[in-house]
Amino acid sequence: MKVLVLHGPNLNLLGMREPGMYGTETLDGINTALARLAKELGVEMECRQSNMEGELVTWVQQAAGVFQGLVINPAAYTHTSVALRDAVLAVGLPVVEVHLSNVHKREDFRQRSFLAPVAVGQISGFGIDSYLLGFRAVVSVLQQGPDR
Ligand code: DQA
């Protein structure tokens, strides 16, 4: 079983970016924690980050046949990207959407996610744990199969 973790725009700046909102953990730190969890669960994992919507769309497309599930923090593209949503629908792989912050208690424009209606679920507000819980969730979905 192989899971792809995608990080969207500005998440490369974690550690120095709005620490009051996103904490002081770096993206490398998150990826290291994910790698540790993947090993513990006996799952293969790859993490990628891009500031470009099209690159994220291409990675979702290319995931078909290589990865069985995805964990995505689309960052600002959560609230804007029909293209990312369409890519997820096109490949039909289970996706868990994650956010470090609780987007539902922030600005109005963050209340809407284009991805959430086509994701298995969304985990928001637990900092780095959102990623770890999201990773466990997608692995559990894959282990239980489509008829869970
Ligand atoms: C975020 C929330 C988004 O609204 C924001 O644009 C981000 C990060 C989060 O992880 O809390 O860049 O996805």
Side-chain angles (χ1 to χ4, degrees), residues 9 11 17 22 73 75-76 79 99-101 103 106 110:
L11 295 173
R17 175 193 180 203
Y22 299 118
N73 183 349
H79 320 297
H99 298 283
L100 294 154
S101 65
V103 289
R106 298 183 62 192
R110 293 186 208 274

Side-chain angles (χ1 to χ4, degrees), residues 108-127:
D108 283 352
F109 65 85
R110 293 186 208 274
Q111 307 298 312
R112 182 179 63 176
S113 166
F114 281 101
L115 196 67
V118 299
V120 181
Q122 184 199 60
I123 299 171
S124 181
F126 299 98

Side-chain angles (χ1 to χ4, degrees), residues 57 59-65 70 85-95:
V57 167
W59 287 341
V60 171
Q61 290 180 7
Q62 292 173 345
L70 288 90
R85 173 199 177 113
D86 284 350
V88 165
L89 276 176
V91 296
L93 293 174
V95 172

